[in-house]
Amino acid sequence: MRQNEWKQNAQQLLVIFVTIVLSFFLGGLILLCARLNPFVVYGRLISGIFSRPQFIAWSIIYATPMILTGLAVAFALQANLFNIGANGQFIMGTVAAVAAGYFIKAPALIHIPITVMAGILGGAVWAAIVGYLKVRHHLHEVVVSIMLNWVALYLCNFFTLLPAVNQPLSETSYNIQPSASLQIHFLSQWLGRSTRVNWGIVIAVILAIFLHYVLHRTTFGFKLKAIGLNQDASLAAGMPMARMQFSSMTISGAIAGLGGAVYIMGMLPHTVVSSVGDGYGFDGISVALIGLGEPIGVIFAGLFYGALKYSAGKLTSAGTPSELISIIIGCIVYFIAISSALQAWFLRWRKKRMEKKLPASAPGGN
């Protein structure tokens, strides 16, 4: 069993490696069509990530919210739920974190946990609405969560412009109290005061390891994956599918809300009026798919995506459109989807072929 598991993991890693190579190759062809040298552009991309410690730090900082929203989407996928509403849950996490971080006055030892829990609660409540409508009224989670994304965005704008919260003559809220910050100040002083190094990546990695344990070593995780693989068989086995789906969606939202809290406490200490939002929840969908829905895979996918997103800004100054990164990421997700479809087709083809051979090879067969 262990050997089969290692073999499957190796195959998945090979698929990801091939898709990344193909995506960068396709990106290189696009650069050639735009009369740009792909080797020069990719060289700038790599140097924009690894040439300085500050760049590596910023890549990790960018990756942290993506890892958390990626974990949120990946967790829901285990129950065959597509949480496209992670962006709205992330936004509600930021709103709750700013409210707790600004209005509450307490020592850091108390203030930080309260602010984190507020963000988790904000995302969980927002996702619980989706889960309730899913299991109670059979409304599809994709449709409901898409609508709630926009509701969350405009609720955030409304909250930011409240007189008690809004900074005068601006479109931002007041900053959270320093006692609610997750920044690592001694590292920021070493790397540069503008580098917002924070404890978020540590939280994200610990959470990913914990979720991996829950999914692969607990009864709850077994039931969750069983429901995701075959709902009819799970119902026949007496599993509480409605309760498990509701729990999965709520926990997924809580993780996305944690991402919003970490974003506020580590990167941007206030909310901002926006027409589209930061899109970290949507980035989390790509991260979850690149990580093949596995918590540990999401860590590496998030770091990869975060590094590309950070270095994309440096390409613009070199005359290269930053949208190239979005094209490459889109190609990676597309190729992974194709590979999954091809693997499923190959398994069905092999099964049918084996079924045709069975009568001829059976004892007494003609």
Side-chain angles (χ1 to χ4, degrees), residues 308-332:
L308 290 181
K309 290 282 282 189
Y310 171 67
S311 61
K314 299 183 179 299
L315 294 180
T316 307
S317 59
T320 305
S322 59
E323 288 77 11
L324 174 69
I325 301 302
S326 299
I327 293 173
I328 292 173
I329 293 296
C331 289
I332 293 173

Side-chain angles (χ1 to χ4, degrees), residues 192-343:
R193 293 186 180 276
S194 62
T195 309
R196 297 184 174 273
V197 185
N198 60 81
W199 292 105
I201 187 62
V202 178
I203 295 172
V205 170
I206 292 174
L207 178 62
I209 295 171
F210 174 73
L211 291 178
H212 178 81
Y213 174 80
V214 169
L215 291 173
H216 295 280
R217 296 290 184 269
T218 66
T219 304
F220 178 82
F222 171 78
K223 290 180 179 179
L224 201 66
K225 292 192 292 183
I227 290 172
L229 290 172
N230 194 322
Q231 294 186 2
D232 294 333
S234 300
L235 281 173
M239 292 185 184
M241 191 175 72
R243 188 173 66 191
M244 293 297 293
Q245 286 185 326
F246 177 79
S247 299
S248 173
M249 184 58 71
T250 304
I251 294 171
S252 175
I255 298 170
L258 173 62
V262 168
Y263 176 74
I264 291 296
M265 300 169 73
M267 290 180 64
L268 189 71
H270 53 254
T271 54
V272 181
V273 174
S274 172
S275 59
V276 294
D278 294 305
Y280 279 108
F282 296 120
D283 291 334
I285 297 173
S286 299
V287 169
L289 294 176
I290 295 172
L292 300 177
E294 286 292 331
I296 302 301
V298 166
I299 296 175
F300 296 101
L303 290 171
F304 172 73
Y305 197 171
L308 290 181
K309 290 282 282 189
Y310 171 67
S311 61
K314 299 183 179 299
L315 294 180
T316 307
S317 59
T320 305
S322 59
E323 288 77 11
L324 174 69
I325 301 302
S326 299
I327 293 173
I328 292 173
I329 293 296
C331 289
I332 293 173
V333 174
Y334 182 72
F335 285 137
I336 287 176
I338 290 177
S339 67
S340 300
L342 288 175
Q343 285 177 348

Side-chain angles (χ1 to χ4, degrees), residues 9 12 68 87 90 125 142 149 165 170 188 203 219 222 228 266 269 321 337:
N9 292 336
Q12 291 176 341
L68 289 167
N87 199 60
F90 177 90
V125 169
V142 171
N149 280 340
V165 178
S170 75
S188 295
I203 295 172
T219 304
F222 171 78

Side-chain angles (χ1 to χ4, degrees), residues 4 6-16 292 343:
N4 291 335
W6 278 106
K7 185 178 180 181
Q8 185 179 5
N9 292 336
Q11 290 175 346
Q12 291 176 341
L13 288 174
L14 180 62
V15 167
I16 294 174
L292 300 177
Q343 285 177 348

